[in-house]
Amino acid sequence: MIAFREVHKAFGPKRVLEGFTLDIPDGETTVIVGHSGAGKSVALKLIVGLLDPDHGSVEVDGQVVHALERDQLMALRARIGFVFQFAALFDSMTVAENLAMGLRRRGVGDGEIVDRSTEALEVVGLAGSEERYPAELSGGMRKRVGIARAIVLRPRYILYDEPTTGLDPVTAAVMDQLMVRTREVYGVTSVVVTHDMRSAYTVGDRIAMLYRGQVRQVGSVDAIRRSHDAVVRQFVEGRPEGADDAERALGGTR
Amino acid sequence: MLRFITSRIERALLALGRLGVLFADLGRGLRDVETWPRLTLVQMRRIGVDSLPIALFISIFTGIVLALQASYTFTGAVPLYFVGSAVGKSIMLELGPVLTGLALAGRVGANIAAELGTMRVTEQVDALETLAYDPTSYLVVPRVLAATMMFPVVVAVAVAAGVGAGLVAAVNLLELSTVEFVHGLRLFYQFKDVWFGLLKSTSFGFAIALIGCAWGLGVRQGAEQVGRATTKAVVVSAQMILVLDAFWALLLL
C-alpha cells in the first residue's frame, strides 16, 4: 500500500502540498484530480523519491521513502513503473532499447528481454515498432511506449502522470482502455494523476480531489459524481466560476 | 555595486558547491561497475576520437605560425636552429594543452551541458532514476572518465602534429634543414616537457567534463535555461583551464 501522511512540500514561497494525507489501497486504481499546479505530479514524484517532503512522509509497503538508503530506494523503484506526462523516452535509443533499459538493470537475460518487450508492445498496440526512434512516433504512440516501458518491468505499482493530456479524444479513450487493460492483465495497483474527469471516471476505482494542498474529498467514482461539495462539483462539472466562489458559498476562509 | 559584488560571490560559491557535490557523488557512481564501463567506451569515442580533427587543425596552424614567428624574432641575433627549440617547448608545455583544452571546452563542454540539460528538462533523467539507474553512474562517470583519459591522448597527437607542422614550415619556408630543426628541438628537451603537458591536459579533461555535467544537470526548466547552462559551462571551463594552467606551472615548474 502507498500512504501519504501529512505531507508538506513547498518550492520557495509556493506551498504546494499542505498536510496531504491519502491511502492508496492495493489492487485498485486511485485517481488524483485537481487543478493545474495543485501538486498532483509532485505527489507522484514523492512516491518514487524523485522529491522529498518538507514535512510528513510517504510510505510504500511500510517503508518511509525519504528515509531509505540509496540501495533501498533503488530496490523500491524496481517495484514501481512510472509513466511520464510527455513519456520521457530516451531519444537516442530505439523503442526496443527504451524497453530494455529497466530490464537490463534488473539482470534479465537478452532472450527474455526480447520476449517481454514484444509482449508489452502487443499489449499497447504497437507491435513491430521495436526499431523506431521516439522522434518517429506521434504523441499518443510515445505515451503508449511509455506505458509499455513501465509494464514490461511487471511492477507492483504503476504511476501515471497526466496520461491523456494533449491527446485527441479518440487517442485519450485508447489510453484509458489501455490503463484499464493493464490493471486487468497485470493486476497492478495504479495511481493516475489527471484533470481529465472523463478519464478519471473510466479508469478509477477511487477518486481523490486535491485542493489547496490537501485532499478535499476521496471516494468511489459514484461518490465523487454525486458529491455535494461545491469545490468538487465545480471541478467535476468543469464550470468556469472561480474556485473561490465555491469556497465562499461554503463559508471558507482562505 | 556592493550588491552586484556579493551576488557574484554568492553565485561563484554556489557553483563551487555544485561542483563539490558532483565530485563527491563520483565516488558513489564509480562503485556501480555494472553501469559505467560500457558507456565510458562510447564516450571515449565521442569525446576523444571525434575531437581529433579540431585538435589537429589548431595544432598544425599553431606549429606553422610558431616557426615563422620564432624565425622573425631570432633573425640576426639567435641561430636559426633555435626555431626547433621554440616550437617544441611552446607546443609541448603550453600551446598544445591549453589551445586544445580551450577548443575542447567549447566542443566537449557545450555538448555535455546541452545534452544533459535537455535530458533534464524532458524528464529523461527522472526516467533513468525511476528505472533504478543512478544518473551519476550512468551519465556523469562515463563522461568524466572518458574526458580524463582521452584529453591527454588528443593533446599528445596534437603536440606531435604541431611540432611536425613547425618542422615542415621551417624546412620549406625558412632556410633551415630537418637536421638543424631537430637539433634545436633536442637542445633543451626534457622528458618533463612531455609529462607536464599531458598531466595538465588530464586535469583539463576532468574539469571540462565535470563542469559540463554539473551545469547540464543543474538545468531545471526550459530551452532557455539549457542555452544559458551551455554557455556558462563553456565560459567556466575556459576560466578553469587558465586557472589550472597557472596552478600546475606554480606547482611543478
Side-chain angles (χ1 to χ4, degrees):
Chain A
M1 191 174 89
I2 299 171
F4 293 88
R5 299 274 178 258
E6 281 292 315
V7 174
H8 291 252
K9 182 69 187 175
F11 296 95
K14 184 174 167 55
R15 290 178 294 170
V16 179
L17 297 178
E18 295 181 81
F20 178 59
T21 297
L22 178 68
D23 287 338
I24 313 280
D26 283 343
E28 291 188 0
T29 297
T30 300
V31 182
I32 302 174
V33 298
H35 300 278
S36 299
K40 308 183 295 292
S41 299
V42 170
L44 282 193
K45 290 183 176 179
L46 289 165
I47 296 173
V48 286
L50 288 175
L51 295 171
D52 287 337
D54 298 333
H55 301 288
S57 64
V58 181
E59 294 173 19
V60 179
D61 297 337
Q63 294 178 295
V64 177
V65 177
H66 73 266
L68 295 176
E69 295 292 327
R70 188 138 190 109
D71 291 347
Q72 294 172 310
L73 181 61
M74 292 297 175
L76 173 77
R77 286 173 176 167
R79 302 200 296 273
I80 301 173
F82 199 115
V83 180
F84 287 86
Q85 184 174 354
F86 299 105
L89 301 179
F90 304 114
D91 47 22
S92 59
M93 299 181 190
T94 63
V95 168
E97 288 165 342
N98 266 280
L99 266 60
M101 279 287 283
L103 294 171
R104 281 216 183 89
R105 186 63 173 166
R106 286 156 182 76
V108 177
D110 287 347
E112 196 180 340
I113 287 176
V114 173
D115 293 345
R116 282 167 67 167
S117 300
T118 306
E119 182 197 317
L121 286 173
E122 276 171 11
V123 169
V124 301
L126 286 174
S129 302
E130 286 87 344
E131 297 311 314
R132 297 174 75 176
Y133 281 88
E136 300 166 356
L137 305 174
S138 68
M141 289 165 87
R142 269 184 232 170
K143 289 204 179 194
R144 282 191 279 162
V145 174
I147 293 179
R149 188 171 68 180
I151 62 176
V152 78
L153 305 171
R154 297 186 185 155
R156 187 168 153 76
Y157 303 98
I158 296 189
L159 315 179
Y160 298 91
D161 189 2
E162 306 273 10
T164 57
T165 299
L167 300 180
D168 65 80
V170 175
T171 311
V174 170
M175 289 295 289
D176 291 342
Q177 285 176 355
L178 199 51
M179 286 185 274
V180 172
R181 196 166 158 217
T182 299
R183 198 196 124 192
E184 287 170 358
V185 172
Y186 297 100
V188 292
T189 302
S190 305
V191 185
V192 182
V193 150
T194 186
H195 45 60
D196 176 356
M197 287 312 298
R198 187 196 48 73
S199 175
Y201 291 148
T202 307
V203 304
D205 295 307
R206 291 196 324 145
I207 298 176
M209 165 100 189
L210 178 57
Y211 183 70
R212 289 185 169 167
Q214 297 183 343
V215 173
R216 181 77 185 200
Q217 184 178 356
V218 58
S220 66
V221 171
D222 280 344
I224 295 294
R225 264 192 222 270
R226 293 197 301 267
S227 175
H228 295 296
D229 185 303
V231 172
V232 176
R233 288 217 64 75
Q234 187 215 352
F235 184 81
V236 301
E237 290 169 4
R239 282 187 280 109
E241 301 96 85
D244 287 339
D245 298 338
E247 189 78 309
R248 270 196 297 276
L250 284 176
T253 53
R254 289 189 57 175
Chain B
M1 186 64 185
L2 184 66
R3 187 178 293 174
F4 174 76
I5 293 168
T6 52
S7 84
R8 298 295 287 201
I9 292 171
E10 190 182 325
R11 278 163 60 183
L13 289 174
L14 276 173
L16 271 178
R18 195 186 299 171
L19 282 176
V21 168
L22 198 58
F23 182 72
D25 282 351
L26 276 179
R28 190 191 68 222
L30 276 167
R31 286 199 294 273
D32 184 6
V33 290
E34 283 176 17
T35 302
W36 57 260
R38 182 181 53 85
L39 296 165
T40 302
L41 289 176
V42 175
Q43 292 300 326
M44 284 169 80
R45 182 186 59 75
R46 287 177 59 184
I47 290 173
V49 179
D50 293 354
S51 294
L52 278 173
I54 182 71
L56 286 173
F57 182 83
I58 289 170
S59 63
I60 285 170
F61 279 90
T62 304
I64 293 169
V65 171
L66 267 178
L68 297 178
Q69 285 187 349
S71 149
Y72 168 77
T73 309
F74 295 161
T75 305
V78 180
L80 211 52
Y81 60 80
F82 277 110
V83 167
S85 312
V87 169
K89 282 278 184 189
S90 306
I91 288 188
M92 279 188 260
L93 284 173
E94 183 66 15
L95 295 178
V98 172
L99 287 184
T100 307
L102 289 172
L104 298 198
R107 205 193 92 80
V108 174
N111 184 295
I112 290 174
E115 185 181 8
L116 300 197
T118 305
M119 286 186 74
R120 175 63 88 187
V121 297
T122 54
E123 294 186 307
Q124 291 178 58
V125 177
D126 286 346
L128 266 182
E129 292 216 50
T130 61
L131 292 171
Y133 284 91
D134 178 353
T136 306
S137 51
Y138 194 89
L139 298 172
V140 180
V141 170
R143 285 164 175 77
V144 172
L145 279 184
T148 307
M149 289 189 287
M150 291 308 287
F151 264 49
V153 175
V154 173
V155 167
V157 175
V159 166
V163 173
L167 167 68
V168 171
V171 170
N172 289 291
L173 304 174
L174 309 171
E175 290 178 4
L176 200 65
S177 68
T178 302
V179 173
E180 287 171 317
F181 184 91
V182 172
H183 172 68
L185 186 66
R186 296 176 64 177
L187 203 55
F188 299 107
Y189 170 79
Q190 301 174 68
F191 180 56
K192 188 178 183 180
D193 299 348
V194 175
W195 70 252
F196 179 76
L198 297 184
L199 175 71
K200 274 204 300 194
S201 54
T202 305
S203 68
F204 295 165
F206 179 83
I208 289 170
L210 195 69
I211 290 165
C213 290
W215 264 260
L217 291 175
V219 171
R220 283 292 165 257
Q221 55 194 353
E224 188 187 343
Q225 266 200 21
V226 175
R228 260 194 240 154
T230 305
T231 307
K232 196 75 187 166
V234 174
V235 171
V236 174
S237 295
Q239 289 168 335
M240 189 57 82
I241 284 173
L242 299 177
V243 171
L244 283 169
D245 190 34
F247 169 79
W248 288 121
L250 283 167
L251 192 72
L252 295 172
L253 293 183

